Amino acid sequence: MAQPSPRRLIILAEGHFGPHGGKTAMGVIRYGQDPISAVIDSTNAGRNVREWFGDRPRFDIPIVASLADALASGPLRGSPTALLIGIAPTGGKLPALWRRVILDSIAAGLDVLSGLHTLIGDDPEFAAAANTAGVEVVDYRRSPSREETAVGRAHAPGKHVILTVGTDCAIGKMSVALELRRAALEAGLAAVFVPTGQTGMMIDGWGVAVDRVISDFSNGTCEWLVEQAEAKGDWIIVEGQGSLDHPAYSSVTLALIHGSTPQAMVMVHKPGLAEHDWDHVEGRTFPLQPLTDFVRLHEQVAGIVAPSKVVAIALNTSLFPDETAARRVIAETVAATGLPADDPVRFGPGPLWAAIQAGVEALDQPAAER
């Protein structure tokens, strides 16, 4: 999916701006290429995105209370051209109260960019309004027309495929993949990020939201996405989704493992988190698996189809705001797992990428040489 660029965005995150409910907004702000005029969230109106991302010019983005306020910021920041829906709620449904904002955005001449399971372009009211206004509606979760089951394709010679997997949802698998891609490029390698979710697609302009694909075709979709990536570079970093033991989202994780058949995996983990992100049924909780057990489980599950090794642990240390405590947790993880570990978002991806590259290259050696 080609993404017209540059668009100037207004991000709609009403009541949800933050690293969890607003993870689409946060991901696009941190890694996207399009300039952003404003974020709409009346519960944080008057604040600035810099409070979350640091005092850099690209993060100088006002948070406003309404679409009218966001449009009014245009003369100072450049006129916005699109409204991006910046949330990823459970089930991907459109909040009913947001319909008016979307209709008003269309009437104002803004394209609408959505990663929801609710397909904006298929809604008769939205479609008619967009047609009248002459604007584009982009549903990033629309399934591709290509529907194929996996065929057991082998990776091309010299290609290294790495998949980010995780102990839970919404803990940074996409961010880790993007940071590792950045480090690999800075090291002079031909590295490619494979977007498998709506936010990654918004950032990189291609890919498939695998969680929307018919289950018979999900493995095959991951397979041909990797094939496309191999035509672009040698180091293929596939964005992970869900968690292998998550009661709601395990299926997409399994499809990525068996469809992309990575030679290596990077386990993403959020220390201090004891239970799965699970808000479906009040009172139901699901504890996280012990990290060392989960590493072995992923290798066993992957090995049913193709051998794969977890070569590093990427930590999300956000529950440890003190840097000394965060670095202690990293050291404890290394000691417990025997694997390289770091927080590549917080402390930079270079050292962890160097360890990952060495670990992956070692997998190419005959067993006697390892």
Side-chain angles (χ1 to χ4, degrees):
M1 177 184 294
Q3 179 173 320
S5 185
R7 284 179 162 122
R8 182 170 289 276
L9 307 176
I10 294 172
I11 297 181
L12 177 59
E14 176 57 36
H16 294 278
F17 187 71
H20 188 72
K23 69 175 185 177
T24 292
M26 303 291 276
V28 169
I29 290 168
R30 184 186 294 275
Y31 296 109
Q33 301 302 310
D34 294 326
I36 300 166
S37 291
V39 172
I40 301 174
D41 180 2
S42 63
T43 64
N44 282 299
R47 300 176 70 180
N48 193 288
V49 168
R50 288 178 301 189
E51 296 180 38
W52 284 263
F53 289 97
D55 194 13
R56 293 171 56 187
R58 68 186 301 260
F59 299 139
D60 181 16
I61 303 166
I63 303 177
V64 300
S66 67
L67 175 65
D69 292 338
L71 292 171
S73 70
L76 296 175
R77 310 181 64 83
S79 296
T81 63
L83 178 80
L84 184 143
I85 297 176
I87 62 169
T90 299
K93 296 179 181 179
L94 175 70
L97 294 176
W98 288 21
R99 292 188 67 88
R100 186 71 262 161
V101 180
I102 294 172
L103 287 169
D104 288 346
S105 298
I106 291 172
L110 302 182
D111 295 335
V112 177
L113 314 178
S114 171
L116 300 175
H117 279 302
T118 301
L119 299 181
I120 303 300
D122 288 354
D123 183 289
E125 185 177 22
F126 291 142
N131 183 63
T132 298
V135 302
E136 182 181 13
V137 174
V138 180
D139 285 301
Y140 287 91
R141 256 186 170 134
R142 189 176 297 280
S143 296
S145 58
R146 183 175 179 178
E147 295 181 334
E148 300 173 7
T149 58
V151 297
R153 171 188 170 272
H155 299 305
K159 306 298 181 179
H160 307 281
V161 180
I162 303 166
L163 171 67
T164 57
V165 292
T167 55
D168 198 18
C169 301
I171 58 173
K173 293 179 289 293
M174 180 196 75
S175 297
V176 167
L178 286 165
E179 292 289 349
L180 295 179
R181 192 262 303 265
R182 176 168 69 90
L185 291 173
E186 290 175 353
L189 302 172
V192 182
F193 166 71
V194 181
T196 63
Q198 68 279 3
T199 307
M201 294 170 69
M202 292 172 178
I203 291 166
D204 234 47
W206 74 292
V208 173
V210 177
D211 65 4
R212 180 75 181 189
V213 175
I214 293 171
S215 59
D216 268 1
F217 306 129
S218 55
N219 291 28
T221 299
C222 297
E223 188 177 64
W224 59 254
L225 278 173
V226 169
E227 182 179 22
Q228 289 182 357
E230 288 181 11
K232 302 171 185 280
D234 299 328
W235 290 84
I236 314 305
I237 304 172
V238 183
E239 174 193 8
Q241 301 291 333
S243 177
L244 193 56
D245 68 335
H246 195 286
Y249 304 123
S250 57
S251 58
V252 66
T253 310
L254 187 62
L256 280 158
I257 293 172
H258 286 169
S260 66
T261 56
Q263 292 105 333
M265 295 176 282
V266 174
M267 180 68 69
V268 182
H269 178 59
K270 188 174 184 178
L273 193 67
E275 298 173 350
H276 275 297
D277 173 20
W278 173 263
D279 58 3
H280 298 64
V281 180
E282 186 175 355
R284 293 293 304 277
T285 60
F286 291 85
L288 299 186
Q289 298 285 331
L291 184 57
T292 53
D293 293 348
F294 214 40
V295 167
R296 288 193 294 270
L297 177 63
H298 276 72
E299 294 175 347
Q300 292 168 354
V301 168
I304 294 169
V305 171
S308 184
K309 296 290 291 182
V310 175
V311 294
I313 310 294
L315 297 176
N316 173 347
T317 60
S318 60
L319 295 179
F320 297 84
D322 177 71
E323 181 175 327
T324 300
R327 293 193 182 277
R328 183 183 67 249
V329 167
I330 292 169
E332 290 171 350
T333 302
V334 172
T337 64
L339 292 168
D342 206 344
D343 185 332
V345 175
R346 186 173 186 174
F347 299 124
L352 189 63
W353 172 254
I356 290 168
Q357 181 182 349
V360 173
E361 289 174 340
L363 297 175
D364 295 336
Q365 300 173 5
E369 299 178 10
R370 292 179 193 168

